[in-house]
Amino acid sequence: MTTTTTRPESDVDLFTDEVLSDPYSTLDRLREQAPAVYLSRLDMWLICRYEPARRVLGDWESFSSAQGVGMTEQFNHAWSAALICQDPPTQTEQRAIFTENLSTRALRPLQATIDVRAEELVDELVSRGRFDAVADLAHDLPINVIMDLIGWPPSRRERLIPMATAWFETIGPDNERNRSSWPVVGELFEYLNQAIDQDDLTPGSFGRHLLDVHRAGHLPREAAVGLLAGYVVAAFDTTINAIASAVWLFAREPEQWDALRAAPSLVASAFNEVIRVESPIQYFTRVATREVDVDGVTIPEGARVLISYGGANRDARHFAEPARFDIARNAVDHLAFSFGNHACAGQNLARLEGHAVLRALIPRVARFEFDGTPERALNNAGRGFAHLPVRVTPA
Ligand code: HEM
């Protein structure tokens, strides 16, 4: 492998409204420029090719999360005790506590509840004929079923969606979206601390389990706040973006909806394809703990590396015709849930929700059509919609 002597560099701003609205042409260009590109505005190295992204995510000793996974000191300092900002062995220990209730086996008894809720909701929406796929469809399971599991009091659920959105904004660089989101993140901190102090999480819930482990002296308070945030933040924009993107893609490509209705066993493959094509979380970062050669480009020790999950998922070196939405592709190795020791700890739950919604829609909806213009929710780290008005033809 020859080492590049001139540093591949770009002064592009990935976080303007224009690029956030349609990031893929910019990411395609940067992906072709080099395996890793130095972004001079951010002082970070972007990786948006599939193989190098997967290698970086799989090598925590060379690419650490312990100096934070956001793009500013403020974020990395604020969440320094959180699971996502740890390396093993601390990360391994905290993650075991978090995922105890999230294995496929532990979640199996929940499937019926989630399925019934999704079916009742879809029945109601189909009888209305037109609805907003974000507020009316995608918000329902996270707010009503997932927060029950976590044990979050219903009276305090209303603010969680804007708080989660703000948290994802603050992963981004020091821009206006990031700065204006900190007051809401401050409210989130208060909320999480109140949950610990007031002890009002439902007995038997995931959240109460965390508090019990904390009270038994096995989890410091800051780590308990971080893990609780892992439930209440990660449970919202992620699955909400995924479900809304599914409806958006199927409204644009009705033949793919026909194909899924003809072969409902492709639900798992279809959900993977939705989050490959429209990755709900677009970026997190790592810090290089040593000088590393990435396919001929030298990343210096101490450099911050920006991983583009969405960019990697659209690398033609790995996925043929990557911009094509093809529910039969079976993209099991996409990076939308990341990879390696930090791979999404809630992915079984996310799949349970996504599959339940698709399974409820398949026998009830023959067609989705846009009922007005979809409005994107621009966010430094998330990709989804603010409003997605649709009309459905009942099956
Ligand atoms: C479609 C839905 C979802 C997507 C696309 C998604 C995506 C991701 C990604 C990309 C990461 C990686 C972070 C990294 O590389 O550093 C991650 C981590 C994580 N996710 Fe998810 N997520 C989803 C749903 C959920 C849900 C429902 C929960 C919780 C109930 C959750 C909890 C977490 C936690 C706690 C981590 C940190 C894991 C660790 O650091 O070990 N996620 N997720």
Side-chain angles (χ1 to χ4, degrees):
M1 183 92 27
T2 51
T3 299
T4 313
T5 44
T6 52
R7 175 167 80 170
E9 189 167 327
S10 169
D11 67 356
V12 72
D13 182 352
L14 290 173
F15 301 92
T16 60
D17 286 3
E18 197 188 345
V19 177
L20 291 177
S21 302
D22 176 16
Y24 301 119
S25 54
T26 306
L27 291 172
D28 287 349
R29 194 162 34 77
L30 291 164
R31 190 189 306 106
E32 291 322 301
Q33 187 179 340
V37 176
Y38 178 72
L39 299 180
S40 53
R41 282 168 187 269
L42 295 177
D43 187 23
M44 284 181 213
W45 290 78
L46 174 75
I47 301 208
C48 60
R49 288 190 186 177
Y50 180 90
E51 288 301 338
R54 194 175 156 111
R55 249 182 288 135
V56 166
L57 294 167
D59 179 5
W60 65 266
E61 282 166 307
S62 308
F63 294 96
S64 165
S65 296
Q67 293 174 55
V69 291
M71 301 175 215
T72 60
E73 270 315 301
Q74 192 177 5
F75 178 94
N76 294 331
H77 178 72
W79 296 100
S80 60
L83 167 66
I84 202 164
C85 299
Q86 311 300 316
D87 285 338
T90 310
Q91 187 249 349
T92 320
E93 288 157 15
Q94 285 194 13
R95 191 176 161 102
I97 299 168
F98 188 88
T99 52
E100 218 174 294
N101 298 301
L102 294 175
S103 66
T104 12
R105 194 163 162 191
L107 290 174
R108 203 166 294 138
L110 284 175
Q111 171 144 5
T113 314
I114 292 185
D115 280 344
V116 169
R117 176 92 198 181
E119 286 161 12
E120 287 174 357
L121 175 68
V122 171
D123 275 336
E124 205 259 304
L125 295 177
V126 171
S127 72
R128 272 201 243 165
R130 43 187 9 146
F131 56 89
D132 181 347
V134 180
D136 300 329
L137 178 69
H139 283 182
D140 184 76
L141 286 176
I143 285 266
N144 294 305
V145 179
I146 309 310
M147 287 306 119
D148 277 352
L149 292 179
I150 289 153
W152 202 263
S155 60
R156 292 202 277 125
R157 288 181 193 183
E158 202 186 307
R159 290 289 296 152
L160 289 174
I161 291 183
M163 286 177 183
T165 303
W167 188 85
F168 283 103
E169 291 283 30
T170 58
I171 291 169
D174 181 19
N175 58 15
E176 180 48 31
R177 317 182 153 279
N178 180 327
R179 286 189 291 271
S180 62
S181 300
W182 276 98
V184 186
V185 171
E187 241 187 279
L188 168 68
F189 261 118
E190 259 174 55
Y191 243 45
L192 297 170
N193 278 295
Q194 258 174 30
I196 293 186
D197 293 333
Q198 293 179 0
D199 201 10
D200 57 356
L201 301 183
T202 322
S205 65
F206 297 179
R208 176 57 84 84
H209 170 67
L210 284 184
L211 296 196
D212 291 345
V213 177
H214 162 59
R215 296 222 164 90
H218 303 308
L219 189 65
R221 185 184 174 101
E222 297 72 33
V225 169
L227 286 191
L228 205 50
Y231 284 129
V232 300
V233 168
F236 285 108
D237 282 34
T238 54
T239 42
I240 291 170
N241 290 350
I243 291 167
S245 292
V247 173
W248 183 71
L249 286 163
F250 285 121
R252 280 163 47 112
E253 312 218 16
E255 68 293 347
Q256 290 294 316
W257 183 242
D258 292 341
L260 183 59
R261 296 192 70 220
S265 62
L266 291 180
V267 156
S269 170
F271 188 67
N272 278 330
E273 182 67 351
V274 166
I275 63 177
R276 181 191 71 80
V277 173
E278 286 296 331
S279 301
I281 305 303
Q282 293 274 317
Y283 299 107
F284 275 119
T285 72
R286 300 288 190 267
V287 168
T289 57
R290 59 180 181 87
E291 183 178 290
V292 188
D293 176 284
V294 174
D295 295 349
V297 177
T298 305
I299 297 194
E301 180 179 345
R304 193 164 281 279
V305 176
L306 179 62
I307 319 283
S308 162
Y309 304 102
N313 280 335
R314 285 178 174 239
D315 183 353
R317 292 165 190 80
H318 190 78
F319 295 107
E321 295 183 70
R324 191 164 55 86
F325 174 56
D326 173 6
I327 59 146
R329 187 190 292 268
N330 201 21
V332 286
D333 53 353
H334 66 73
L335 297 179
F337 285 129
S338 190
F339 176 76
N341 57 314
H342 286 280
C344 179
Q347 61 183 282
N348 294 329
L349 188 57
R351 288 200 165 94
L352 210 62
E353 293 176 63
H355 297 181
V357 171
L358 290 178
R359 272 199 311 270
L361 291 165
I362 286 170
R364 293 170 175 83
V365 173
R367 271 284 172 277
F368 298 99
E369 282 168 283
F370 295 121
D371 187 28
T373 312
E375 192 190 317
R376 282 227 165 255
L378 303 185
N379 185 286
N380 279 330
R383 179 155 176 84
F385 293 88
H387 298 290
L388 185 56
V390 288
R391 244 188 339 262
V392 291
T393 311

